[in-house]
Amino acid sequence: METKTAVDSEPIIKTSNVCLFYGESQALFDVSVDFPGNMVTALIGPSGCGKSTFLRCMNRMNDLVDGVRITGSLQLDGHEINDPTLDVIDLRRKVGMVFQKPNPFPKSIYENVVYGLRIAGVNDRDTLDSAVENSLKRAALWDEVKDRLHVSALGLSGGQHQRLCIARAIAVQPEVILMDEPCSALDPRSTARIEDLIGELRGDYTIIIVTHNMQQAARVSDYTAFLYEGLLVEFGATKQLFTNPEKKETEDYITGRFG
Amino acid sequence: MNRDASKGFWRQGEPFVWATGTALSITLIIMAILLVVVMVNGLGVFWPKSVAEATFNDGAVALGEFQKDSKNNETGEEEFQFKTANRDLDPQMQDFHWYYRKNLKGEFRYPTDVIVMERMENGNFIGYIKEIKAVNVESIKGETDASRLRDAIAKTHARYESEVGTILDKTSGLADDLQNIRYAILKVKYDSEQIQLGKRSGVQAELDRLGAEMKKLVAEEERIKETSDELVKEQELYESALRKNSVIMADSAGRTKEIPLVDIVRIYQPNNMGYPAKVWHYISKVFELLTADPRESNTEGGLFPAIFGTIMLIFLMAFTSFPLGVMAGIYLREYAKDGVMVRLVRIAVNNLAGIPSIVYGIFGLGFFVYQVGGTLDSWIYPERVAAGVSTFGTGGIIWASMTLGLLTVPVVIVSVEEALGAIPMGVREGSLALGATKFQTLVRVLLPMASPGIMTGFILAMARAAGEVAPLMITGVVKLAPTLPIDWKFPFGFDRKFMHLGFHIYDIGFQSPNVEAAKPMVYITTLLLLLIVLAMTSVAIVLRNKMRKRYQIRSI
């Protein structure tokens, strides 16, 4: 499949001919996408099409799954992600991730945000304080929690949890933030807030978001990749893909004829 | 209508609810009976019982604490049991006697001047004061005979403490010194033997030095022995003088017995005691139980060494079992690659809990005591081994606790594994995605989250360990251990034999020559063991609930 290169921005993650196998069965077939820097790219497709699997290739979260084998090339800033000599910890600091289900740690709000810094060995009080304030402000959570930073994060609501997880990802100042259906466990109001937040983060971070929700993809992303049964069907500017798709399958999917 | 209702009754699964409810009730009732029996019999032991006087048709009189009514197995006639005490005056040396109801003349009487006397030997004496012979204590005061006797006893005890007590302190210190010197002599002897046999390089000068040291040690030993003998003589002198202070007691039949005051632990007049006096008596008995050493082949006195041994055993057990179990559980869940091997190990660990504890005991004896202990002995104390003295190579609290640790480690492993397994995958991923290593994730997130579950494992392990007796019997428990298994210098007393409440129950309940007299102590010991287990697990449960509050993930 030919590679669709983004037009107006230098790609930060380049992938070419990525194949992924779970033991014997293959989940991704020659996927090649170049993700433009400081833009929001959406990965859409029906359940089980491999979009989450693809997303998790980019910070090597698939390492945690036994029997996964990846071929092809994934590059971040020109460095091969799957290089066995690559420092995974360093990679994951550059490529943050927000999960489908909010997963705050059973610690205070403050400690949740500085977790990534603390494990990196940062213990300077002032640095941590300012990181907390900045990250929470960027995640639009500061005003709600500034008076109870040292209270357990588990007492927050679901939407606040997810914003806290975003703040936690931002705190280590990654280049890329991967979002794996970040709104699927949230109510519409919280979803709207997260979408606003993605709009605000755009321009400073490269965001790759997996979503089931077509409207959401259309609302928040600059580029969209449509995957179907492990194959990349179409990749292009969101506006174009949603208004004038090149492929028949894409049109069928976004108009709700299947999937 | 009726038929429909009954159909509904069956269809709605009502009988199943009843069956499960009944099963639970039966379990609870049996547990409650056990607890009530232990509580009623245990808590009542120290309450002063009234002493009844029974007069019989043939003119005989019996004085004792009424125990129970019963029917004679052979004749089928009504009878009742008295604890008459006064074992030393009874031809059969019995504390308890049965009498026929039909021989009884009139009702029981409760004479107020009856004295119950707890003695150092021969059990209690129940009777009346005849004469107090206080020859060398200061003037004794009191308005009644009983209070005068009490004063005389207190003064005699005070004198005993100041005269004999200080000597006893000195002699026990000397005994320790003597033991150390004997070990030192063994060492010097062994060292010079080794040099003479050529097993160790050494010159004549070295031998001479050892010889000189030997002479010094032997002289020292001789000196200590002499001092000790002198002290013993002095002690005997004091004691024989003090023993002249005595009381002549009479029993209901008028037989008399002279009892030295130093042999009397306490006296009381149960028929002449008000409620506050009885409460005070009860409290002082409980205090004695918790702080004093046992007397009278463990049927009287306190349980302090056994309480101490039990608690210390559990603590030492925790030191071996908990770290080992937590580490093994972590490896099994977090690091080991899931496969046939891990599954086999898991099955094995789960089944370890089913091995009879005596098997662990035998393993502990063979491995810890003989192998590990014997090897330690030959490394640290070769001279003692040569002289046939074992230090670690014989049962001791350290080996008993390690055996218990081995016994409880599967419980800990399983609970650690389950606690870690219950943590959602998302939390691990969240930490790893932020660039944490597996170890950082484990220490900073997973272990705190698993801590309530791990605590549950600790609680179960402690409860199991506290209840075990069989493995202890062959790894170091004894019926009487005057020295506590703790010390300030190496090996910190860990090599010593110890007492244990669980073994105590077995020992006094089934191995005692005077089972009837020991019965109250069985209940008391059981109650105490239950309370200790309860206290320890309660502390752990409170801790666990605190952790649970702090670390539990709320479902979203």
Side-chain angles (χ1 to χ4, degrees), chain B residues 389-508:
Chain B
V389 180
S390 297
T391 310
F392 288 111
T394 172
I397 195 163
I398 183 88
W399 307 132
S401 62
M402 282 191 179
T403 308
L404 279 191
L406 206 64
L407 184 115
T408 53
V409 99
V411 181
V412 179
I413 293 180
V414 168
S415 62
V416 169
E417 255 219 294
E418 274 170 11
L420 286 173
I423 299 173
M425 199 57 200
V427 177
R428 283 163 227 259
E429 289 186 333
S431 172
L432 293 172
L434 283 165
T437 62
K438 217 164 174 176
F439 180 71
Q440 285 171 323
T441 306
L442 191 65
V443 172
R444 289 172 185 246
V445 183
L446 300 184
L447 282 184
M449 286 179 79
S451 54
I454 296 175
M455 280 304 283
T456 307
F458 289 175
I459 295 166
L460 290 174
M462 283 198 316
R464 168 113 206 249
E468 281 298 344
V469 177
L472 307 179
M473 287 163 73
I474 47 179
T475 52
V477 93
V478 282
K479 61 186 293 166
L480 190 63
T483 342
L484 295 180
I486 195 157
D487 206 336
W488 289 115
K489 57 182 210 277
F490 184 82
F492 309 109
F494 291 168
D495 59 316
R496 283 191 201 138
K497 299 206 172 7
F498 62 103
M499 289 177 75
H500 184 266
L501 288 171
F503 179 72
H504 207 76
I505 295 170
Y506 167 74
D507 178 55
I508 54 180

Side-chain angles (χ1 to χ4, degrees), chain B residues 523-545:
Chain B
Y523 285 114
I524 286 279
T525 314
T526 312
L527 190 64
L528 210 55
L529 184 58
L530 288 181
L531 285 178
I532 286 176
V533 176
L534 195 70
M536 283 186 152
T537 48
S538 307
V539 170
I541 286 170
V542 168
L543 268 175
R544 178 185 67 185
N545 291 350

Side-chain angles (χ1 to χ4, degrees), chain A residues 56 89 103 107 115 119 154, chain B residues 426 429 431 435 440 444 552:
Chain A
R56 292 163 68 97
I89 287 158
N103 52 1
K107 297 169 181 284
Y115 184 82
I119 56 175
L154 300 180
Chain B
E429 289 186 333
S431 172
Q440 285 171 323
R444 289 172 185 246
Q552 204 164 43

Side-chain angles (χ1 to χ4, degrees), chain A residues 7-253:
Chain A
V7 208
D8 25 323
S9 173
E10 195 59 23
I12 182 163
I13 294 186
K14 291 187 192 171
T15 67
S16 61
N17 302 329
V18 174
C19 297
L20 185 140
F21 303 85
Y22 287 118
E24 292 301 303
S25 66
Q26 192 169 357
L28 293 175
F29 299 85
D30 284 322
V31 178
S32 306
V33 182
D34 287 356
F35 295 95
N38 296 343
M39 295 278 179
V40 180
T41 306
L43 297 177
I44 61 167
S47 294
C49 72
K51 51 195 190 310
S52 282
T53 306
F54 185 46
L55 188 77
R56 292 163 68 97
C57 288
M58 285 175 248
N59 65 347
R60 286 193 34 190
M61 285 308 268
N62 286 324
D63 288 10
L64 304 179
V65 187
D66 279 339
V68 165
R69 192 161 53 83
I70 300 169
T71 63
S73 154
L74 289 132
Q75 287 188 335
L76 172 72
D77 295 330
H79 298 290
E80 180 56 43
I81 288 173
N82 277 325
D83 182 355
T85 61
L86 176 100
D87 185 1
V88 184
I89 287 158
D90 197 46
L91 169 74
R92 288 181 185 154
R93 256 171 225 152
K94 285 186 190 149
V95 185
M97 189 165 189
V98 176
F99 295 83
Q100 182 174 0
K101 215 176 158 196
N103 52 1
F105 303 132
K107 297 169 181 284
S108 68
I109 294 169
Y110 186 96
E111 285 302 323
N112 259 281
V113 178
V114 300
Y115 184 82
L117 294 170
R118 278 216 198 271
I119 56 175
V122 181
N123 274 316
D124 176 51
R125 193 86 210 169
D126 293 338
T127 317
L128 295 180
D129 284 349
S130 65
V132 168
E133 187 172 343
N134 290 336
S135 316
L136 286 173
K137 275 182 177 160
R138 297 246 35 189
L141 194 59
W142 175 253
D143 290 333
E144 292 161 54
V145 300
K146 64 181 175 202
D147 299 325
R148 45 175 176 147
L149 289 176
H150 295 284
V151 174
S152 171
L154 300 180
L156 299 176
S157 73
Q160 288 173 322
H161 277 162
Q162 198 59 303
R163 274 180 281 148
L164 179 66
C165 291
I166 293 173
R168 191 170 75 182
I170 295 171
V172 289
Q173 297 184 319
E175 295 171 22
V176 181
I177 301 174
L178 309 175
M179 295 187 175
D180 190 358
E181 300 184 43
C183 303
S184 67
L186 304 182
D187 62 89
R189 252 191 76 189
S190 303
T191 303
R193 297 205 65 158
I194 303 276
E195 285 180 11
D196 289 349
L197 179 56
I198 293 171
E200 278 163 35
L201 295 174
R202 183 178 169 272
D204 293 332
Y205 300 96
T206 305
I207 295 175
I208 306 174
I209 177 169
V210 165
T211 178
H212 260 123
N213 183 329
M214 236 74 67
Q215 285 78 20
Q216 187 173 62
R219 279 195 301 268
V220 301
S221 69
D222 302 299
Y223 293 90
T224 301
F226 172 52
L227 278 87
Y228 181 61
E229 295 193 335
L231 287 156
L232 177 69
V233 178
E234 191 170 347
F235 175 61
T238 302
K239 216 176 257 173
Q240 203 216 323
L241 189 133
F242 273 89
T243 53
N244 188 16
E246 283 176 13
K247 297 271 167 56
K248 176 84 168 55
E249 294 100 311
T250 316
E251 195 183 342
D252 286 352
Y253 182 67

